[in-house]
Amino acid sequence: MEYLNLSIADIIPLSVLLICLIFQLVYYWVYLFKPYKYQSLQAKDEVISSSLAPVSVIMTGRNEAQNLETYLPSILEQNYSEYEIIFVNDASTDDTEDVLKRFASRYPHLYHTYIPAGSKNLSRKKLALTVGIKAAKYDILLFTEPASCPVSSDWISQMSARFTDKKKIVLGFSFLNKYPSKYISYDYYWGNLQMTSLALMNLPYSGNGHNLAYSKLYFEEKKGFAPSNFLDAGEDDLFINQVATPTNVAVELSPNSHIAVDMAEKRLWREFKIHRTITRKFYK
């Protein structure tokens, strides 16, 4: 058996690398354990108040007829006393409008409006969201996407329960239920884990529009999307980055608050990543 014949010049860099690896593992253990511990504590004292404030759920989309047929009922049938759903139709050319009218005839708390095809704005998404926010009757605004599905009928209850006089923003958790590859599922999950971990460390830096809530009054106070209107993207992550502080953000991680996202087409993930790449350089 031959023994390794290492010189001091070999041992020193190997020792440095080993120390760095240990530090990295300890860091990630603390980093990843934070959401798990927080979720465990939430589960122990999970009490839903029966007198929660009314909520406006806001969604936008273009040519989302199929997703609305599949996922909208799970939002329309939430176990919550007073809420409305506002869908802003961004000049759809499919059956989106017909689907919305059909659901609205059965669910009086569903309202829908539209953005004309000729409307000019660098970000039609921000324009549509702004229209929805202005139309909202209530101060608590809860956002998700047409290809998203709450895993529980208590989604609104769990998210709205985190608002207090000081907490103006609530970050929720979402995961990919349908995806084109395991790597894409991992990448999306890891991004959400980073977002919630740092927020729990009082370092909030981003938000995800699939499961996000904030105060309408606070949105107006911060002049909405005006500071980032020069970008097509940034209606969720960059907006939160600009207005979040160590004290005004709450995190909701209980299982009943999760959103399952359908991102079965690779192009959807690619668009998501491009938007994040564009906005990241403008983060504080």
Side-chain angles (χ1 to χ4, degrees):
M1 182 176 179
E2 296 183 2
Y3 292 93
L4 289 174
N5 190 13
L6 297 176
S7 65
I8 296 296
D10 296 321
I11 293 173
I12 290 175
L14 286 173
S15 300
V16 172
L17 286 173
L18 181 60
I19 292 170
C20 289
L21 175 62
I22 292 171
F23 272 108
Q24 189 76 7
L25 291 174
V26 170
Y27 170 74
Y28 276 120
W29 171 252
V30 174
Y31 186 68
L32 299 177
F33 187 69
K34 193 82 174 175
Y36 171 76
K37 184 178 180 182
Y38 181 77
Q39 182 177 326
S40 301
L41 291 173
Q42 274 191 320
K44 287 181 181 178
D45 28 278
E46 190 170 356
V47 179
I48 302 299
S49 170
S50 59
S51 58
L52 295 174
V55 173
S56 294
V57 179
I58 297 176
M59 304 169 66
T60 71
R62 185 173 190 271
N63 295 336
E64 296 286 358
Q66 185 175 348
N67 284 326
L68 290 172
E69 289 276 14
T70 305
Y71 301 116
L72 188 55
S74 64
I75 299 173
L76 289 165
E77 297 172 0
Q78 285 285 299
N79 180 26
Y80 202 75
S81 58
E82 189 175 1
Y83 74 104
E84 64 176 357
I85 299 172
I86 300 171
F87 189 93
V88 184
N89 184 3
D90 183 10
S92 295
T93 56
D94 66 353
D95 295 332
T96 294
E97 191 65 20
D98 293 334
V99 172
L100 289 168
K101 287 179 180 177
R102 180 156 40 83
F103 276 122
S105 67
R106 293 167 49 198
Y107 299 93
H109 56 298
L110 171 63
Y111 306 90
H112 55 100
T113 184
Y114 69 97
I115 301 295
S119 298
K120 294 184 178 180
N121 193 286
L122 184 58
S123 173
R124 292 185 65 87
K125 178 76 170 184
K126 290 175 185 169
L127 175 61
L129 285 172
T130 302
V131 168
I133 291 170
K134 286 184 176 180
K137 292 190 295 186
Y138 307 127
D139 183 55
I140 294 180
L141 307 176
L142 180 54
F143 300 86
T144 190
E145 299 288 339
S148 302
C149 176
V151 301
S152 162
S153 60
D154 290 325
W155 168 58
I156 297 179
S157 298
Q158 300 286 354
M159 291 292 288
S160 62
R162 296 298 155 196
F163 279 92
T164 66
D165 291 339
K166 292 183 178 180
K167 302 299 182 183
K168 305 299 183 182
I169 301 167
V170 179
L171 305 181
F173 198 82
S174 61
F175 63 94
L176 296 190
N177 188 39
K178 294 183 180 180
Y179 46 87
S181 74
K182 290 183 178 179
Y183 169 74
I184 288 175
S185 178
Y186 160 78
D187 178 75
Y188 185 89
Y189 178 84
W190 178 252
N192 277 276
L193 193 61
Q194 286 181 307
M195 176 190 76
T196 52
S197 293
L198 287 173
L200 290 171
M201 295 176 183
N202 296 323
L203 294 168
Y205 77 96
S206 182
N208 187 317
H210 288 101
N211 197 3
L212 174 65
Y214 49 78
S215 160
K216 179 178 179 177
L217 291 175
Y218 191 64
F219 175 84
E220 293 170 345
E221 178 188 324
K222 295 299 180 180
K223 298 182 171 46
F225 302 122
S228 63
N229 262 344
F230 61 94
L231 288 174
D232 178 40
E235 69 281 347
D236 52 358
D237 63 326
L238 186 56
F239 172 71
I240 297 303
N241 185 268
Q242 291 169 339
V243 303
T245 70
T247 58
N248 71 358
V249 176
V251 177
E252 172 55 46
L253 293 178
S254 59
N256 286 341
S257 70
H258 292 182
I259 290 284
V261 179
D262 180 349
M263 203 176 281
E265 297 180 43
K266 200 168 188 177
R267 68 172 181 83
L268 298 175
W269 173 78
R270 191 180 297 115
E271 290 171 5
F272 178 81
K273 293 297 288 184
I274 289 172
H275 283 177
R276 287 296 192 263
T277 302
I278 290 170
T279 55
R280 192 159 293 170
K281 62 183 178 180
F282 296 101
Y283 285 4
K284 288 185 292 188

